[in-house]
Amino acid sequence: EEIYCKNLTEVLNFNGATAIDMSPIVGSVPLKKRIVNNSNPHPSALVHAMTADMILKMLPSILKKKQIL
């Protein structure tokens, strides 16, 4: 998983996209609360909310770096 994320981040950055590593933030959340349920391993509403908060915090610096803001 770590190698996949590192490679994906490198590809995104190379192509001008910004990758946000959420693992330090959601890693402390118990697995049961990180996924929808045992049959659906997609991120839970909690993880989506945490991701949205991180994007909002990072957005001004991302836009400034891309000279959009």
Side-chain angles (χ1 to χ4, degrees):
E1 184 177 307
E2 187 175 318
I3 292 171
Y4 171 78
C5 289
K6 183 179 181 210
N7 291 341
L8 180 59
T9 299
E10 289 173 359
V11 169
L12 290 170
N13 289 336
F14 178 80
N15 287 291
T18 301
I20 301 171
D21 181 7
M22 292 299 295
S23 57
I25 293 147
V26 299
S28 62
V29 177
L31 180 60
K32 221 173 193 180
K33 292 186 178 188
R34 268 188 283 169
I35 61 174
V36 174
N37 59 46
N38 289 339
S39 300
N40 185 348
H42 287 91
S44 66
L46 172 63
V47 171
H48 282 291
M50 294 170 80
T51 303
D53 287 343
M54 180 56 68
I55 291 170
L56 284 174
K57 287 177 186 167
M58 294 182 70
L59 194 57
S61 64
I62 292 169
L63 295 176
K64 188 174 182 180
K65 185 169 37 170
K66 305 274 185 193
Q67 298 179 348
I68 296 172
L69 186 65

Short mmCIF file of all heavy atoms in Angstrom, two decimals:
data_model
loop_
_atom_site.label_atom_id
_atom_site.label_comp_id
_atom_site.label_asym_id
_atom_site.label_seq_id
_atom_site.Cartn_x
_atom_site.Cartn_y
_atom_site.Cartn_z
N GLU A 1 0.83 -1.20 0.00
CA GLU A 1 0.00 0.00 0.00
C GLU A 1 0.87 1.25 0.00
O GLU A 1 0.60 2.19 -0.74
CB GLU A 1 -0.92 -0.02 1.22
CG GLU A 1 -1.88 1.14 1.24
CD GLU A 1 -2.84 1.06 2.42
OE1 GLU A 1 -3.50 0.02 2.58
OE2 GLU A 1 -2.89 2.03 3.17
N GLU A 2 1.91 1.27 0.82
CA GLU A 2 2.77 2.46 0.91
C GLU A 2 3.48 2.71 -0.42
O GLU A 2 3.58 3.86 -0.86
CB GLU A 2 3.79 2.29 2.03
CG GLU A 2 4.61 3.54 2.28
CD GLU A 2 5.53 3.39 3.47
OE1 GLU A 2 5.09 2.84 4.49
OE2 GLU A 2 6.68 3.81 3.36
N ILE A 3 3.96 1.64 -1.06
CA ILE A 3 4.65 1.79 -2.34
C ILE A 3 3.69 2.32 -3.39
O ILE A 3 4.02 3.21 -4.17
CB ILE A 3 5.28 0.45 -2.79
CG1 ILE A 3 6.42 0.09 -1.85
CG2 ILE A 3 5.76 0.51 -4.23
CD1 ILE A 3 6.96 -1.32 -2.05
N TYR A 4 2.47 1.78 -3.41
CA TYR A 4 1.46 2.23 -4.36
C TYR A 4 1.18 3.72 -4.17
O TYR A 4 1.16 4.48 -5.13
CB TYR A 4 0.17 1.42 -4.20
CG TYR A 4 -0.98 1.97 -5.00
CD1 TYR A 4 -1.07 1.73 -6.37
CD2 TYR A 4 -1.96 2.76 -4.41
CE1 TYR A 4 -2.10 2.25 -7.12
CE2 TYR A 4 -3.00 3.29 -5.15
CZ TYR A 4 -3.07 3.03 -6.51
OH TYR A 4 -4.09 3.55 -7.24
N CYS A 5 0.99 4.14 -2.93
CA CYS A 5 0.68 5.55 -2.65
C CYS A 5 1.85 6.45 -3.04
O CYS A 5 1.64 7.52 -3.60
CB CYS A 5 0.34 5.74 -1.18
SG CYS A 5 -1.26 5.02 -0.74
N LYS A 6 3.07 6.00 -2.76
CA LYS A 6 4.24 6.80 -3.11
C LYS A 6 4.33 6.96 -4.62
O LYS A 6 4.56 8.07 -5.11
CB LYS A 6 5.51 6.14 -2.57
CG LYS A 6 6.75 6.94 -2.84
CD LYS A 6 8.00 6.28 -2.28
CE LYS A 6 9.19 7.16 -2.58
NZ LYS A 6 10.40 6.41 -2.74
N ASN A 7 4.14 5.87 -5.36
CA ASN A 7 4.19 5.95 -6.82
C ASN A 7 3.08 6.83 -7.37
O ASN A 7 3.31 7.62 -8.29
CB ASN A 7 4.11 4.55 -7.44
CG ASN A 7 5.35 3.74 -7.18
OD1 ASN A 7 6.40 4.27 -6.86
ND2 ASN A 7 5.22 2.43 -7.31
N LEU A 8 1.89 6.69 -6.83
CA LEU A 8 0.76 7.51 -7.28
C LEU A 8 1.03 8.98 -7.00
O LEU A 8 0.79 9.84 -7.85
CB LEU A 8 -0.53 7.06 -6.60
CG LEU A 8 -1.79 7.81 -6.98
CD1 LEU A 8 -2.05 7.72 -8.47
CD2 LEU A 8 -2.98 7.27 -6.20
N THR A 9 1.54 9.29 -5.83
CA THR A 9 1.88 10.67 -5.48
C THR A 9 2.91 11.24 -6.45
O THR A 9 2.78 12.37 -6.91
CB THR A 9 2.40 10.75 -4.03
OG1 THR A 9 1.37 10.29 -3.16
CG2 THR A 9 2.78 12.17 -3.64
N GLU A 10 3.92 10.47 -6.76
CA GLU A 10 4.96 10.92 -7.70
C GLU A 10 4.38 11.21 -9.08
O GLU A 10 4.70 12.22 -9.70
CB GLU A 10 6.08 9.89 -7.79
CG GLU A 10 6.92 9.82 -6.54
CD GLU A 10 7.93 8.67 -6.56
OE1 GLU A 10 7.96 7.90 -7.55
OE2 GLU A 10 8.67 8.53 -5.58
N VAL A 11 3.51 10.33 -9.56
CA VAL A 11 2.89 10.52 -10.87
C VAL A 11 2.01 11.77 -10.86
O VAL A 11 2.06 12.59 -11.78
CB VAL A 11 2.06 9.28 -11.28
CG1 VAL A 11 1.20 9.57 -12.51
CG2 VAL A 11 2.98 8.10 -11.55
N LEU A 12 1.21 11.93 -9.81
CA LEU A 12 0.35 13.11 -9.71
C LEU A 12 1.17 14.39 -9.67
O LEU A 12 0.87 15.36 -10.39
CB LEU A 12 -0.56 13.01 -8.48
CG LEU A 12 -1.66 11.95 -8.55
CD1 LEU A 12 -2.32 11.79 -7.20
CD2 LEU A 12 -2.68 12.31 -9.61
N ASN A 13 2.20 14.42 -8.82
CA ASN A 13 3.04 15.61 -8.72
C ASN A 13 3.75 15.91 -10.03
O ASN A 13 3.85 17.07 -10.44
CB ASN A 13 4.06 15.44 -7.59
CG ASN A 13 3.41 15.50 -6.22
OD1 ASN A 13 2.34 16.07 -6.04
ND2 ASN A 13 4.06 14.90 -5.25
N PHE A 14 4.24 14.88 -10.71
CA PHE A 14 4.92 15.06 -11.99
C PHE A 14 3.99 15.71 -13.01
O PHE A 14 4.42 16.51 -13.83
CB PHE A 14 5.43 13.70 -12.51
CG PHE A 14 6.11 13.79 -13.84
CD1 PHE A 14 7.43 14.21 -13.94
CD2 PHE A 14 5.43 13.45 -15.00
CE1 PHE A 14 8.05 14.31 -15.18
CE2 PHE A 14 6.05 13.54 -16.25
CZ PHE A 14 7.37 13.97 -16.33
N ASN A 15 2.71 15.38 -12.92
CA ASN A 15 1.73 15.91 -13.87
C ASN A 15 1.04 17.17 -13.38
O ASN A 15 0.04 17.60 -13.94
CB ASN A 15 0.69 14.82 -14.21
CG ASN A 15 1.30 13.76 -15.10
OD1 ASN A 15 1.59 14.03 -16.25
ND2 ASN A 15 1.52 12.58 -14.57
N GLY A 16 1.57 17.77 -12.31
CA GLY A 16 1.06 19.05 -11.84
C GLY A 16 -0.11 18.98 -10.88
O GLY A 16 -0.67 20.02 -10.52
N ALA A 17 -0.50 17.79 -10.47
CA ALA A 17 -1.60 17.65 -9.51
C ALA A 17 -1.03 17.62 -8.10
O ALA A 17 0.14 17.35 -7.89
CB ALA A 17 -2.37 16.37 -9.79
N THR A 18 -1.86 17.92 -7.15
CA THR A 18 -1.45 17.89 -5.75
C THR A 18 -2.06 16.66 -5.08
O THR A 18 -3.26 16.45 -5.15
CB THR A 18 -1.93 19.15 -5.01
OG1 THR A 18 -1.36 20.29 -5.66
CG2 THR A 18 -1.50 19.14 -3.56
N ALA A 19 -1.22 15.86 -4.46
CA ALA A 19 -1.68 14.68 -3.73
C ALA A 19 -1.66 14.99 -2.24
O ALA A 19 -0.72 15.62 -1.75
CB ALA A 19 -0.79 13.49 -4.03
N ILE A 20 -2.68 14.57 -1.55
CA ILE A 20 -2.76 14.78 -0.10
C ILE A 20 -2.73 13.41 0.56
O ILE A 20 -3.60 12.58 0.32
CB ILE A 20 -4.05 15.53 0.29
CG1 ILE A 20 -4.10 16.89 -0.41
CG2 ILE A 20 -4.13 15.69 1.80
CD1 ILE A 20 -5.41 17.61 -0.26
N ASP A 21 -1.73 13.19 1.39
CA ASP A 21 -1.61 11.92 2.12
C ASP A 21 -2.47 12.01 3.37
O ASP A 21 -2.14 12.73 4.31
CB ASP A 21 -0.15 11.66 2.48
CG ASP A 21 0.05 10.35 3.22
OD1 ASP A 21 -0.92 9.58 3.35
OD2 ASP A 21 1.18 10.10 3.67
N MET A 22 -3.56 11.29 3.37
CA MET A 22 -4.49 11.32 4.50
C MET A 22 -4.17 10.27 5.55
O MET A 22 -4.77 10.26 6.62
CB MET A 22 -5.92 11.13 4.00
CG MET A 22 -6.46 12.28 3.18
SD MET A 22 -6.51 13.83 4.08
CE MET A 22 -7.71 13.47 5.34
N SER A 23 -3.22 9.38 5.27
CA SER A 23 -2.95 8.28 6.21
C SER A 23 -2.55 8.75 7.61
O SER A 23 -2.99 8.15 8.59
CB SER A 23 -1.92 7.30 5.64
OG SER A 23 -0.72 7.95 5.32
N PRO A 24 -1.77 9.84 7.76
CA PRO A 24 -1.46 10.27 9.13
C PRO A 24 -2.71 10.76 9.90
O PRO A 24 -2.77 10.68 11.11
CB PRO A 24 -0.47 11.42 8.95
CG PRO A 24 0.07 11.29 7.59
CD PRO A 24 -1.01 10.62 6.77
N ILE A 25 -3.68 11.25 9.16
CA ILE A 25 -4.87 11.81 9.79
C ILE A 25 -5.90 10.73 10.09
O ILE A 25 -6.41 10.64 11.19
CB ILE A 25 -5.47 12.92 8.90
CG1 ILE A 25 -4.48 14.08 8.86
CG2 ILE A 25 -6.83 13.39 9.40
CD1 ILE A 25 -4.45 14.83 7.61
N VAL A 26 -6.19 9.88 9.12
CA VAL A 26 -7.21 8.86 9.33
C VAL A 26 -6.65 7.58 9.94
O VAL A 26 -7.41 6.72 10.39
CB VAL A 26 -7.98 8.52 8.03
CG1 VAL A 26 -8.69 9.74 7.49
CG2 VAL A 26 -7.09 7.91 6.98
N GLY A 27 -5.34 7.47 9.99
CA GLY A 27 -4.72 6.28 10.55
C GLY A 27 -5.05 6.04 12.01
O GLY A 27 -5.06 4.90 12.48
N SER A 28 -5.34 7.10 12.73
CA SER A 28 -5.67 6.96 14.15
C SER A 28 -7.14 6.58 14.38
O SER A 28 -7.53 6.26 15.49
CB SER A 28 -5.36 8.26 14.89
OG SER A 28 -6.15 9.31 14.38
N VAL A 29 -7.93 6.64 13.32
CA VAL A 29 -9.35 6.28 13.42
C VAL A 29 -9.47 4.76 13.35
O VAL A 29 -8.90 4.14 12.46
CB VAL A 29 -10.16 6.93 12.27
CG1 VAL A 29 -11.61 6.51 12.32
CG2 VAL A 29 -10.03 8.44 12.32
N PRO A 30 -10.19 4.14 14.27
CA PRO A 30 -10.36 2.69 14.21
C PRO A 30 -10.95 2.25 12.87
O PRO A 30 -11.80 2.94 12.31
CB PRO A 30 -11.33 2.39 15.35
CG PRO A 30 -11.27 3.57 16.25
CD PRO A 30 -10.92 4.75 15.39
N LEU A 31 -10.49 1.11 12.38
CA LEU A 31 -10.93 0.61 11.07
C LEU A 31 -12.45 0.58 10.96
O LEU A 31 -13.00 0.96 9.92
CB LEU A 31 -10.37 -0.80 10.82
CG LEU A 31 -10.76 -1.44 9.50
CD1 LEU A 31 -10.27 -0.60 8.32
CD2 LEU A 31 -10.21 -2.84 9.42
N LYS A 32 -13.13 0.18 12.01
CA LYS A 32 -14.60 0.10 11.99
C LYS A 32 -15.24 1.45 11.66
O LYS A 32 -16.31 1.49 11.05
CB LYS A 32 -15.10 -0.39 13.35
CG LYS A 32 -16.21 -1.36 13.28
CD LYS A 32 -16.53 -1.92 14.65
CE LYS A 32 -17.43 -3.12 14.49
NZ LYS A 32 -17.79 -3.74 15.72
N LYS A 33 -14.58 2.53 12.07
CA LYS A 33 -15.12 3.87 11.80
C LYS A 33 -14.57 4.46 10.50
O LYS A 33 -15.08 5.47 10.03
CB LYS A 33 -14.80 4.81 12.96
CG LYS A 33 -15.55 4.44 14.22
CD LYS A 33 -15.32 5.47 15.29
CE LYS A 33 -16.13 5.09 16.53
NZ LYS A 33 -16.11 6.14 17.52
N ARG A 34 -13.54 3.83 9.93
CA ARG A 34 -12.94 4.32 8.69
C ARG A 34 -13.68 3.84 7.45
O ARG A 34 -13.60 4.47 6.40
CB ARG A 34 -11.49 3.86 8.56
CG ARG A 34 -10.51 4.84 9.11
CD ARG A 34 -9.12 4.41 8.79
NE ARG A 34 -8.75 3.32 9.68
CZ ARG A 34 -7.69 2.58 9.55
NH1 ARG A 34 -6.87 2.75 8.55
NH2 ARG A 34 -7.43 1.62 10.41
N ILE A 35 -14.37 2.71 7.55
CA ILE A 35 -15.04 2.15 6.38
C ILE A 35 -16.56 2.17 6.58
O ILE A 35 -17.04 2.31 7.70
CB ILE A 35 -14.56 0.71 6.10
CG1 ILE A 35 -14.85 -0.22 7.26
CG2 ILE A 35 -13.08 0.71 5.74
CD1 ILE A 35 -14.53 -1.69 6.99
N VAL A 36 -17.28 2.03 5.47
CA VAL A 36 -18.74 2.07 5.54
C VAL A 36 -19.25 0.92 6.40
O VAL A 36 -20.01 1.12 7.34
CB VAL A 36 -19.35 2.02 4.13
CG1 VAL A 36 -20.87 1.91 4.20
CG2 VAL A 36 -18.94 3.25 3.33
N ASN A 37 -18.84 -0.30 6.07
CA ASN A 37 -19.18 -1.49 6.87
C ASN A 37 -18.33 -2.66 6.41
O ASN A 37 -17.52 -2.52 5.50
CB ASN A 37 -20.69 -1.81 6.81
CG ASN A 37 -21.17 -2.07 5.41
OD1 ASN A 37 -20.55 -2.81 4.64
ND2 ASN A 37 -22.30 -1.46 5.05
N ASN A 38 -18.52 -3.83 7.02
CA ASN A 38 -17.71 -5.00 6.68
C ASN A 38 -17.87 -5.44 5.23
O ASN A 38 -16.97 -6.05 4.67
CB ASN A 38 -18.03 -6.17 7.61
CG ASN A 38 -17.53 -5.94 9.01
OD1 ASN A 38 -16.65 -5.13 9.23
ND2 ASN A 38 -18.12 -6.63 9.96
N SER A 39 -19.00 -5.14 4.63
CA SER A 39 -19.26 -5.52 3.25
C SER A 39 -18.86 -4.44 2.26
O SER A 39 -18.83 -4.67 1.06
CB SER A 39 -20.74 -5.85 3.06
OG SER A 39 -21.11 -6.91 3.90
N ASN A 40 -18.61 -3.25 2.77
CA ASN A 40 -18.29 -2.11 1.90
C ASN A 40 -17.09 -1.37 2.47
O ASN A 40 -17.22 -0.56 3.38
CB ASN A 40 -19.50 -1.18 1.81
CG ASN A 40 -19.28 -0.05 0.83
OD1 ASN A 40 -18.18 0.20 0.36
ND2 ASN A 40 -20.36 0.66 0.53
N PRO A 41 -15.90 -1.64 1.92
CA PRO A 41 -14.69 -1.03 2.48
C PRO A 41 -14.42 0.41 2.03
O PRO A 41 -13.35 0.95 2.29
CB PRO A 41 -13.59 -1.96 1.97
CG PRO A 41 -14.11 -2.45 0.66
CD PRO A 41 -15.60 -2.58 0.85
N HIS A 42 -15.37 1.04 1.36
CA HIS A 42 -15.18 2.43 0.96
C HIS A 42 -15.07 3.33 2.20
O HIS A 42 -15.57 2.99 3.26
CB HIS A 42 -16.34 2.90 0.08
CG HIS A 42 -16.30 2.33 -1.29
ND1 HIS A 42 -16.93 1.15 -1.61
CD2 HIS A 42 -15.69 2.75 -2.41
CE1 HIS A 42 -16.71 0.87 -2.88
NE2 HIS A 42 -15.95 1.82 -3.39
N PRO A 43 -14.44 4.49 2.05
CA PRO A 43 -14.30 5.40 3.19
C PRO A 43 -15.66 5.81 3.76
O PRO A 43 -16.61 6.04 3.02
CB PRO A 43 -13.59 6.61 2.60
CG PRO A 43 -12.91 6.11 1.38
CD PRO A 43 -13.78 5.00 0.85
N SER A 44 -15.70 5.91 5.06
CA SER A 44 -16.93 6.30 5.76
C SER A 44 -17.19 7.79 5.62
O SER A 44 -16.33 8.56 5.16
CB SER A 44 -16.80 5.95 7.24
OG SER A 44 -15.79 6.75 7.84
N ALA A 45 -18.36 8.21 6.07
CA ALA A 45 -18.70 9.64 6.07
C ALA A 45 -17.70 10.41 6.93
O ALA A 45 -17.32 11.54 6.60
CB ALA A 45 -20.12 9.83 6.57
N LEU A 46 -17.25 9.81 8.02
CA LEU A 46 -16.26 10.45 8.89
C LEU A 46 -14.96 10.72 8.13
O LEU A 46 -14.41 11.82 8.20
CB LEU A 46 -15.97 9.58 10.12
CG LEU A 46 -14.83 10.03 11.02
CD1 LEU A 46 -15.14 11.39 11.65
CD2 LEU A 46 -14.56 8.99 12.09
N VAL A 47 -14.48 9.74 7.39
CA VAL A 47 -13.25 9.91 6.62
C VAL A 47 -13.44 10.97 5.54
O VAL A 47 -12.56 11.80 5.31
CB VAL A 47 -12.77 8.57 6.02
CG1 VAL A 47 -11.63 8.78 5.05
CG2 VAL A 47 -12.36 7.62 7.14
N HIS A 48 -14.59 10.97 4.89
CA HIS A 48 -14.87 12.00 3.89
C HIS A 48 -14.88 13.39 4.52
O HIS A 48 -14.35 14.35 3.94
CB HIS A 48 -16.20 11.73 3.18
CG HIS A 48 -16.11 10.65 2.15
ND1 HIS A 48 -15.41 10.78 0.98
CD2 HIS A 48 -16.61 9.40 2.14
CE1 HIS A 48 -15.50 9.67 0.28
NE2 HIS A 48 -16.23 8.81 0.97
N ALA A 49 -15.44 13.52 5.70
CA ALA A 49 -15.46 14.81 6.39
C ALA A 49 -14.05 15.25 6.77
O ALA A 49 -13.69 16.42 6.62
CB ALA A 49 -16.35 14.72 7.63
N MET A 50 -13.24 14.30 7.25
CA MET A 50 -11.86 14.62 7.61
C MET A 50 -11.07 15.05 6.37
O MET A 50 -10.24 15.98 6.43
CB MET A 50 -11.19 13.42 8.29
CG MET A 50 -11.81 13.07 9.63
SD MET A 50 -11.23 11.49 10.27
CE MET A 50 -9.64 11.98 10.94
N THR A 51 -11.33 14.38 5.26
CA THR A 51 -10.65 14.72 4.00
C THR A 51 -11.07 16.11 3.54
O THR A 51 -10.22 16.92 3.12
CB THR A 51 -10.97 13.67 2.92
OG1 THR A 51 -10.57 12.38 3.40
CG2 THR A 51 -10.26 13.97 1.63
N ALA A 52 -12.35 16.40 3.61
CA ALA A 52 -12.84 17.73 3.22
C ALA A 52 -12.20 18.82 4.07
O ALA A 52 -11.79 19.87 3.55
CB ALA A 52 -14.36 17.78 3.33
N ASP A 53 -12.08 18.58 5.37
CA ASP A 53 -11.44 19.57 6.26
C ASP A 53 -9.99 19.80 5.85
O ASP A 53 -9.52 20.94 5.81
CB ASP A 53 -11.48 19.10 7.72
CG ASP A 53 -12.87 19.21 8.33
OD1 ASP A 53 -13.72 19.93 7.77
OD2 ASP A 53 -13.10 18.57 9.37
N MET A 54 -9.28 18.72 5.52
CA MET A 54 -7.88 18.86 5.12
C MET A 54 -7.76 19.62 3.81
O MET A 54 -6.90 20.48 3.65
CB MET A 54 -7.22 17.48 5.00
CG MET A 54 -5.77 17.53 4.58
SD MET A 54 -4.70 18.53 5.65
CE MET A 54 -4.72 17.56 7.13
N ILE A 55 -8.63 19.32 2.85
CA ILE A 55 -8.60 20.04 1.57
C ILE A 55 -8.85 21.53 1.79
O ILE A 55 -8.16 22.37 1.23
CB ILE A 55 -9.63 19.44 0.59
CG1 ILE A 55 -9.17 18.04 0.16
CG2 ILE A 55 -9.81 20.34 -0.63
CD1 ILE A 55 -10.22 17.25 -0.61
N LEU A 56 -9.82 21.85 2.63
CA LEU A 56 -10.11 23.27 2.90
C LEU A 56 -8.92 23.98 3.53
O LEU A 56 -8.64 25.14 3.22
CB LEU A 56 -11.34 23.40 3.80
CG LEU A 56 -12.68 23.18 3.11
CD1 LEU A 56 -13.81 23.18 4.13
CD2 LEU A 56 -12.92 24.24 2.05
N LYS A 57 -8.21 23.27 4.41
CA LYS A 57 -7.03 23.88 5.05
C LYS A 57 -5.89 24.07 4.05
O LYS A 57 -5.15 25.05 4.12
CB LYS A 57 -6.55 23.01 6.21
CG LYS A 57 -7.44 23.04 7.41
CD LYS A 57 -6.96 22.10 8.49
CE LYS A 57 -7.96 22.05 9.63
NZ LYS A 57 -7.71 20.96 10.55
N MET A 58 -5.75 23.14 3.13
CA MET A 58 -4.63 23.19 2.19
C MET A 58 -4.92 24.01 0.93
O MET A 58 -3.99 24.43 0.25
CB MET A 58 -4.23 21.77 1.78
CG MET A 58 -3.67 20.95 2.91
SD MET A 58 -3.17 19.31 2.38
CE MET A 58 -1.74 19.71 1.38
N LEU A 59 -6.18 24.22 0.62
CA LEU A 59 -6.56 24.85 -0.63
C LEU A 59 -5.91 26.22 -0.88
O LEU A 59 -5.40 26.44 -1.98
CB LEU A 59 -8.08 24.95 -0.73
CG LEU A 59 -8.64 25.26 -2.10
CD1 LEU A 59 -8.19 24.23 -3.13
CD2 LEU A 59 -10.15 25.31 -2.05
N PRO A 60 -5.88 27.13 0.08
CA PRO A 60 -5.25 28.43 -0.21
C PRO A 60 -3.78 28.30 -0.65
O PRO A 60 -3.36 28.94 -1.61
CB PRO A 60 -5.36 29.19 1.11
CG PRO A 60 -6.56 28.59 1.77
CD PRO A 60 -6.51 27.13 1.41
N SER A 61 -3.01 27.45 0.01
CA SER A 61 -1.60 27.31 -0.37
C SER A 61 -1.47 26.60 -1.72
O SER A 61 -0.58 26.93 -2.51
CB SER A 61 -0.80 26.58 0.70
OG SER A 61 -1.25 25.26 0.86
N ILE A 62 -2.35 25.67 -2.01
CA ILE A 62 -2.31 24.99 -3.31
C ILE A 62 -2.62 25.98 -4.42
O ILE A 62 -1.92 26.04 -5.44
CB ILE A 62 -3.31 23.81 -3.34
CG1 ILE A 62 -2.84 22.70 -2.40
CG2 ILE A 62 -3.47 23.27 -4.76
CD1 ILE A 62 -3.89 21.61 -2.16
N LEU A 63 -3.66 26.77 -4.23
CA LEU A 63 -4.03 27.76 -5.25
C LEU A 63 -2.95 28.81 -5.43
O LEU A 63 -2.67 29.23 -6.56
CB LEU A 63 -5.37 28.41 -4.89
CG LEU A 63 -6.58 27.48 -4.90
CD1 LEU A 63 -7.82 28.22 -4.42
CD2 LEU A 63 -6.80 26.87 -6.26
N LYS A 64 -2.33 29.23 -4.34
CA LYS A 64 -1.26 30.21 -4.43
C LYS A 64 -0.07 29.64 -5.19
O LYS A 64 0.52 30.30 -6.05
CB LYS A 64 -0.82 30.64 -3.02
CG LYS A 64 0.13 31.79 -3.02
CD LYS A 64 0.41 32.24 -1.60
CE LYS A 64 1.33 33.43 -1.61
NZ LYS A 64 1.62 33.89 -0.26
N LYS A 65 0.28 28.38 -4.91
CA LYS A 65 1.39 27.74 -5.59
C LYS A 65 1.10 27.59 -7.08
O LYS A 65 1.99 27.74 -7.90
CB LYS A 65 1.66 26.36 -4.98
CG LYS A 65 2.87 25.68 -5.55
CD LYS A 65 3.34 24.42 -4.83
CE LYS A 65 2.30 23.53 -4.29
NZ LYS A 65 2.81 22.24 -3.81
N LYS A 66 -0.15 27.34 -7.43
CA LYS A 66 -0.54 27.20 -8.83
C LYS A 66 -0.83 28.56 -9.47
O LYS A 66 -1.22 28.64 -10.61
CB LYS A 66 -1.79 26.32 -8.96
CG LYS A 66 -1.68 24.97 -8.31
CD LYS A 66 -1.06 23.99 -9.22
CE LYS A 66 -1.09 22.63 -8.55
NZ LYS A 66 -0.27 21.66 -9.19
N GLN A 67 -0.64 29.64 -8.71
CA GLN A 67 -0.88 31.01 -9.14
C GLN A 67 -2.31 31.24 -9.61
O GLN A 67 -2.57 31.92 -10.57
CB GLN A 67 0.12 31.41 -10.22
CG GLN A 67 1.54 31.37 -9.71
CD GLN A 67 2.55 31.74 -10.78
OE1 GLN A 67 2.23 31.82 -11.95
NE2 GLN A 67 3.78 31.97 -10.37
N ILE A 68 -3.24 30.61 -8.89
CA ILE A 68 -4.66 30.78 -9.20
C ILE A 68 -5.28 31.81 -8.27
O ILE A 68 -6.22 32.48 -8.59
CB ILE A 68 -5.40 29.43 -9.08
CG1 ILE A 68 -4.85 28.46 -10.13
CG2 ILE A 68 -6.90 29.60 -9.25
CD1 ILE A 68 -5.35 27.04 -10.00
N LEU A 69 -4.68 31.95 -7.10
CA LEU A 69 -5.23 32.85 -6.09
C LEU A 69 -4.33 34.05 -5.92
O LEU A 69 -3.14 33.97 -5.94
CB LEU A 69 -5.39 32.11 -4.76
CG LEU A 69 -6.07 32.81 -3.63
CD1 LEU A 69 -7.54 33.10 -3.99
CD2 LEU A 69 -6.02 31.97 -2.38
#
